[in-house]
Amino acid sequence: MRSPRRCSRNGCPRQAVATLTYVYSDSTAVVGPLAAFAEPHTYDLCEPHARSLTAPRGWELVRHDGDFAPPPPTTDDLVALADAVREAARPVPPRPDPHQEQQQPGHQTGRRGHLRVIPPSH
């Protein structure tokens, strides 16, 4: 199951709603809406981190003015959710009791600790 993208800040468990990109040639940091795909050299941020980010001294910060909305669920997310619900609803088959011997007709087994004695077949 695919999980939503999380904030890139260490220890932050929140869902990402914005993407931070640096334009080194212009000494500019850009915080905009969440990019469609995670890209190398960009950082996904939650709303609190996107709003409180500051640029290094001498850099310009360009920040999106509107609200940062979480991305809508994709078809993959909905299919994964439906599969998870189906899996959770599936009855669990009973596990055989490891202390109870399962014997086939005509066969006898003995058990002592973790070892099992099986008589030779005729």
Side-chain angles (χ1 to χ4, degrees), residues 6 12 15 28 37-38 53 59 62 66-67 78 101 108 112 120:
R6 299 281 175 208
C12 182
Q15 182 177 3
T28 303
F37 301 99
L53 183 86
W59 282 55
V62 177
D67 290 334
L78 296 175
E101 287 298 320
Q108 289 185 339
R112 184 169 181 102

Side-chain angles (χ1 to χ4, degrees), residues 2-89:
R2 192 172 69 91
S3 61
R5 286 162 44 193
R6 299 281 175 208
C7 183
S8 297
R9 297 290 300 260
N10 285 338
C12 182
R14 292 187 281 273
Q15 182 177 3
V17 296
T19 298
L20 168 64
T21 307
Y22 291 105
V23 182
Y24 290 97
S25 61
D26 295 334
S27 298
T28 303
V30 180
V31 179
L34 187 65
F37 301 99
E39 298 282 336
H41 310 294
T42 63
Y43 302 90
D44 293 337
L45 299 173
C46 63
E47 186 161 2
H49 285 124
R51 297 252 179 244
S52 66
L53 183 86
T54 59
R57 188 176 309 171
W59 282 55
E60 182 180 357
L61 177 63
V62 177
R63 191 186 322 264
H64 173 70
D65 269 342
D67 290 334
F68 291 111
T74 65
T75 306
D76 291 345
D77 293 336
L78 296 175
V79 170
L81 179 60
D83 289 343
V85 168
R86 276 190 222 102
E87 183 68 27

